[in-house]
Amino acid sequence: SSIVISYHQALKKELPKGETQTKLREKTSYFVEDNKFKRLAEYAAKKQQREFRHTLTKTFRHIMFFVIPISVLFYLLRAEIIRVLFGDGVFDWDDTGITFETFGFLVISIFAQATIPLLTRAFYAQQNTKTPVTISIIGIVINLVLSILLAHTMGVKGLAIAFSVSAIAQLAMLLGVLHIKLDGFDDKAVLVSMLKIVIATFTAAVVAQALKTPIGIAVDTHTFLGIAIKLIGVFMGGIITYVIVCMALKSEELEVIK
């Protein structure tokens, strides 16, 4: 949301008055959830199930295109991220270890947290609020039960695991019900897209992991600046690799960043 607002304000300053509204719609329409919701609601009202399914699955794929590689890179760089954010003062190595392990458990569900709002809105567009609310309550129950069971043995890490498991379970339930209600998604397109994303993400992860050692040797990792340089260098190396592999695989989702 903050990114969209900042981008919106920047465009207002740069564009002439007459062009502002038109350009804003063109440039930010993909990122504004209300725009997608309106389209889904329109297709649902007109019983255009094919268009509804296509818009939903295309948006789902676009979200995954961004979220999966970032999640994996965040996981690989969780120690560096925590050290940059909290590495000063009384935050010692034991605290850092507990925090980055907890962060790692939370990161694995980013893809679920990013797509649950889209799928929930897909139900709302069909004037169905009961199903997503019911699934949300089930997710809360799963989170609560797992939190109670895991907190005693794993502490805060157990709470992170419970949160991630409940989010993934909620996503799975939403996807399952929607798949049945819509008589399937654009399954072939989704599977092909996800395969390309996974291949590109795996390659990016390998490159990022390989960059850790040489960059770590080149800088002083005992200082904030050194850790920050390592973090940025490895992350950018992974992202660049991801984009290059996606281009080689002719990933359709690249249209979002063109």
Side-chain angles (χ1 to χ4, degrees), residues 8-25:
H8 190 283
Q9 292 172 340
L11 282 171
K12 272 189 173 179
K13 292 178 182 178
E14 292 177 8
L15 293 171
K17 266 190 175 180
E19 297 181 15
T20 300
Q21 294 302 321
T22 302
K23 292 297 183 181
L24 283 174
R25 282 194 293 269

Side-chain angles (χ1 to χ4, degrees), residues 167-186:
I168 294 171
Q170 188 176 345
L171 172 63
M173 288 184 282
L174 288 170
L175 280 173
V177 175
L178 269 176
H179 195 275
I180 294 172
K181 285 185 173 294
L182 297 177
D183 296 325
F185 297 139
D186 293 337

Side-chain angles (χ1 to χ4, degrees), residues 194-245:
M194 292 303 299
L195 179 61
K196 291 179 180 180
I197 291 171
V198 169
I199 292 172
T201 300
F202 177 78
T203 307
V206 170
V207 171
Q209 191 66 26
L211 287 173
K212 277 187 175 183
T213 300
I215 295 179
I217 293 173
V219 300
D220 183 1
T221 55
H222 294 93
T223 65
F224 171 83
L225 181 60
I227 289 294
I229 291 173
K230 180 182 178 182
L231 172 61
I232 295 171
V234 173
F235 184 81
M236 292 307 299
I239 290 296
I240 291 170
T241 301
Y242 177 75
V243 173
I244 291 173
V245 175

Side-chain angles (χ1 to χ4, degrees), residues 95-110:
D95 296 328
T96 300
I98 293 172
T99 305
F100 84 66
E101 287 177 2
T102 303
F103 179 64
F105 288 126
L106 291 172
V107 161
I108 61 177
S109 66
I110 289 179

